[in-house]
Each structure stands twice: as structure tokens, then as C-alpha cells.
Amino acid sequence: MTAPAIDRLHLSPDAADLLFREARTANAFTDEPVTDDHVRAIYDLAKYAPTAMNQQPLRLVLVRSEEARARLVGHMAPGNRDKTAAAPLVAIVAADTRFHDELPRVFPHAPGARELFADPHARENSARFNAAIQLGFLILAIRAAGLAAGPMGGYDAAGINADFFPDGEHRVVAVVNIGRPAADAWRDRLPRLAYDEVVTTV
Amino acid sequence: MTAPAIDRLHLSPDAADLLFREARTANAFTDEPVTDDHVRAIYDLAKYAPTAMNQQPLRLVLVRSEEARARLVGHMAPGNRDKTAAAPLVAIVAADTRFHDELPRVFPHAPGARELFADPHARENSARFNAAIQLGFLILAIRAAGLAAGPMGGYDAAGINADFFPDGEHRVVAVVNIGRPAADAWRDRLPRLAYDEVVTTV
């Protein structure tokens, strides 16, 4: 379906379809592997996401060993276990609550930036929020690589944090299945809110 | 600079440049107006962002009247006031903490979904996190429309919430300047974390 405002787009229709309009959360994948080269290409786009004070809190754990996969599956909600076990690649997306240690390097023109994040509670909120912006970019970068993403929020977060981040400084914010979508990967598109429900003018 | 893994991208180089590699946070804009048609085209892409249980908490307030613009500028941090006053369009991005009232319609196959969000604190956290994923999509959709985004986090959040959302049910999560970038819109790109600082394998 062509949107009425399509002539306002600068992006090509093919790219808009690939990234937004025809892309979907995938629930099943082919056996084709997702290589580290794929993930590097994905990160080479996703890394440009804007974050507050360039804090870049997102971290990715690629779960490649059978042993780690089994541990992760055990932390997932029952409805997510089979697809977590079967996806070509599963990535744990986490927010690094120690992002502020990097600010002198990644936000060099504001020497006092690190000290603005002295409060651990405010810092964790900032890490989660900005990692979510990066997660939006990451999902679109996965699609830009011709792959599909299956982000999941149903898991035992405390269990994943303790098991995969024993430093106590990271918080899982999503688990994402990545791969080439299988023919039966898609559920029906869920309804989106209408423009007038979302956008108001003052 | 061509990334070594570029051959792993399915998206065209032009589109990757438009959305990710050459796109930047803009700090100055031309006088060209941003119309409601632009915003409709942007929303027609951004609305497809995946959110937990399809909750879609993001709301946009387009600040078009001089009076509302003046009020908003008064809530911004000093360093953000001039650009907020000058941008062709300024949008307040908010998370609707009552998103769960829409779940019976937007997540219809799970009749009990609304009740999972009975706790207001957990609901607000979910609204903020998922609105941030949508904000990532929104920024890329603005670029897809050939425009530039200038997201800002420096403002008096309590002041904006009280002034623009007297229902007490919305939380500002960003203020975004939108427009055609001026020639002097760009600062130097800030450093991004390297792949090996962000991605680990287990």
C-alpha cells in the first residue's frame, strides 16, 4: 500500500520497505549462519546512533557456544525458549552502567561530564534509555544487512544479569534473535496507532 | 571511508549514508518549513518500530504556535534555547504512561495484557524504554524524509511535563529540532566506541 505522503520521502521506496514498511519481527529463521562479519557491518551502522553526551551504553554479547546458549534459554520465558534455542545467532543487548568512565574520551570537550553521572540510580536510568535508542538503530542496522531481528523482552532479567554479567555493572535490556527469516517467520502485523492518536499540535 | 564489511550490507550505500553514516545531529537549520505532510511521512515509517506487546508509548507534540514555542524555550537548558527558538519545527517527544489502555486494541490476542501493567512505576519504566526505541526509529525516519534531527536532552523535564501535559500521564523523553540542515549545522563527529569495546562473544 502506498502511503499518501510517499512523495515526501527522500529515502528510496526499496530502502523504506527493507527497513520499515516490509520489515517485521521474525519468529523463525533459516539455518544460514550469521557471521562476525555480519555483526561488524551491523555495528558499523548502529554505532552512529545519537545518545546523550555520546554515552553509547549499549553492549552486545553474542551467544555462540552451545553451553552459553543453553544457559540463556534457561532464563527465557517459556514462550521464547524454542526460538532462542533455534535462531542462527542470539545477542544479549545490555546497558553498561559504567558508560561514564568513557566520557572523557567520547565526549572530550566537556571535562566534567563524567561527574554528572555520579548518582548510580540516575546513571542506570540514563544507560537504559540511551541503550534503547541504540537498540532502535541496531534493529534497523540488522535489516540493512539483509537479515531479520527478533527482539524479545520476556526473560528473567535478574538471572541473565547474574549469569552473563557477574561484574554487576550491566543490565540486560533485550535479547535479540538474528538471522535470515524462514518462510514462516511472520505473524500478522499488529495494528499501529493512527497519526492523530500520536501527534498533536500546540 | 568504506567500511571493510560493506559487502555484507544489503541496503544501498546511498541509503546507508543518508540514514547512518553521513547523517548527524543538526544544530542549525534553513528557514524552509517542515509541514504536517512531512510529519505524516515520517510517522508512516516510524510507527513500525517494534515495542514490547506493541505498546507504542511515543507521543509527539508539534510546537507550532509562537506562544507555545516561547513557553518551551523557557524550559530548555540555556545552551539549547537559541536552537529551540530558531528551528523550523520543534517536537516534544513524550512517553504516554497510559499506553496500556490501548493494549486490548493493539495487542488483541492477549486479553490480559492491560492488567500486566497495573503497577504505575513499572509502567512508566516500560513507557520510557519503549518510547526510546521508537525515538531511534523516529530520528531515522526524519532523515528518510530528507530532513535532519537535533534531539536534545537538556531541559527542565518537570517543567515541560507540568506545562504541556497537565493530565499528569505523560513524560517528556526528548525535544527534537527538525528541519533542513543549514551549511553550518554540523559539529565534528564525536568518537564512537570500537567494535571490540562493545561486542563480546560467549
Side-chain angles (χ1 to χ4, degrees):
Chain A
M1 195 178 77
T2 303
I6 183 69
D7 60 321
R8 289 292 184 180
L9 278 191
H10 189 276
L11 189 69
S12 74
D14 281 356
D17 287 345
L18 175 72
L19 297 183
F20 296 96
R21 295 189 299 220
E22 295 188 353
R24 305 276 298 284
T25 289
N27 293 290
F29 301 90
T30 70
D31 291 337
E32 189 179 335
V34 177
T35 66
D36 285 0
D37 278 355
H38 279 119
V39 182
R40 284 182 185 274
I42 291 164
Y43 182 66
D44 273 343
L45 295 185
K47 69 182 180 186
Y48 293 121
T51 51
M53 296 191 182
N54 198 32
Q55 63 183 255
Q56 307 173 66
L58 180 140
R59 302 292 180 270
L60 284 181
V61 179
L62 308 181
V63 181
R64 291 212 181 270
S65 73
E66 283 187 37
E67 171 272 331
R69 176 86 68 130
R71 284 194 282 132
L72 178 60
V73 167
H75 297 298
M76 301 302 293
N80 287 331
R81 282 182 193 161
D82 285 352
K83 53 189 173 186
T84 304
L89 178 61
V90 183
I92 301 172
V93 181
D96 183 349
T97 66
R98 301 290 305 182
F99 67 83
H100 63 318
D101 287 338
E102 310 303 329
L103 290 180
R105 178 165 57 106
V106 297
F107 205 62
H109 57 286
R114 185 185 180 285
E115 285 62 46
L116 295 176
F117 292 100
D119 174 59
H121 180 70
R123 200 167 69 232
E124 177 168 337
N125 283 343
S126 184
R128 287 181 184 274
F129 182 80
N130 285 281
I133 297 173
Q134 292 180 283
L135 175 58
F137 270 60
L138 179 74
I139 291 167
L140 289 164
I142 289 168
R143 296 169 177 175
L147 301 171
M152 299 176 290
Y155 47 70
D156 171 10
I160 292 178
N161 290 339
D163 195 349
F164 288 90
F165 305 104
D167 68 358
E169 303 287 3
H170 295 73
R171 306 287 182 271
V172 58
V173 299
V175 175
V176 182
N177 296 323
I178 306 171
R180 194 81 60 191
D184 62 344
W186 319 116
R187 301 205 184 110
D188 287 343
R189 169 87 80 187
L190 288 165
R192 291 318 197 255
L193 296 177
Y195 181 86
D196 293 333
E197 296 179 288
V198 170
V199 183
T200 54
T201 301
V202 293
Chain B
M1 194 179 75
T2 303
I6 183 69
D7 60 321
R8 289 294 184 179
L9 277 192
H10 189 276
L11 188 68
S12 75
D14 282 355
D17 286 345
L18 175 72
L19 298 183
F20 297 95
R21 295 188 300 219
E22 296 188 352
R24 306 275 298 284
T25 289
N27 292 290
F29 300 91
T30 70
D31 291 337
E32 189 180 334
V34 177
T35 66
D36 284 0
D37 277 355
H38 278 119
V39 182
R40 284 182 186 276
I42 290 165
Y43 182 65
D44 273 342
L45 296 185
K47 70 183 179 185
Y48 293 121
T51 52
M53 295 191 183
N54 198 32
Q55 62 184 256
Q56 307 173 66
L58 180 139
R59 302 291 179 269
L60 285 180
V61 179
L62 309 182
V63 180
R64 290 211 182 270
S65 72
E66 284 187 36
E67 171 270 333
R69 176 86 68 131
R71 283 195 283 133
L72 179 61
V73 168
H75 297 299
M76 301 303 292
N80 287 330
R81 282 182 193 160
D82 286 351
K83 53 189 173 185
T84 304
L89 178 62
V90 183
I92 300 172
V93 181
D96 183 350
T97 66
R98 300 290 306 181
F99 67 83
H100 64 318
D101 288 337
E102 311 302 329
L103 290 180
R105 177 165 58 105
V106 297
F107 205 62
H109 56 285
R114 186 185 180 286
E115 285 62 46
L116 295 177
F117 292 100
D119 174 60
H121 181 70
R123 201 167 70 232
E124 177 169 337
N125 283 343
S126 184
R128 287 181 185 273
F129 182 81
N130 285 280
I133 298 173
Q134 292 181 282
L135 175 58
F137 270 61
L138 179 74
I139 291 166
L140 289 165
I142 290 168
R143 296 169 178 176
L147 301 171
M152 299 176 290
Y155 46 71
D156 170 10
I160 292 178
N161 290 338
D163 194 350
F164 288 90
F165 305 105
D167 69 358
E169 302 287 3
H170 296 72
R171 305 287 181 271
V172 58
V173 299
V175 175
V176 183
N177 296 324
I178 306 172
R180 194 82 59 191
D184 61 345
W186 319 116
R187 301 205 184 112
D188 287 345
R189 170 85 82 187
L190 288 167
R192 290 322 198 252
L193 296 177
Y195 181 86
D196 292 333
E197 295 178 289
V198 170
V199 183
T200 54
T201 300
V202 293

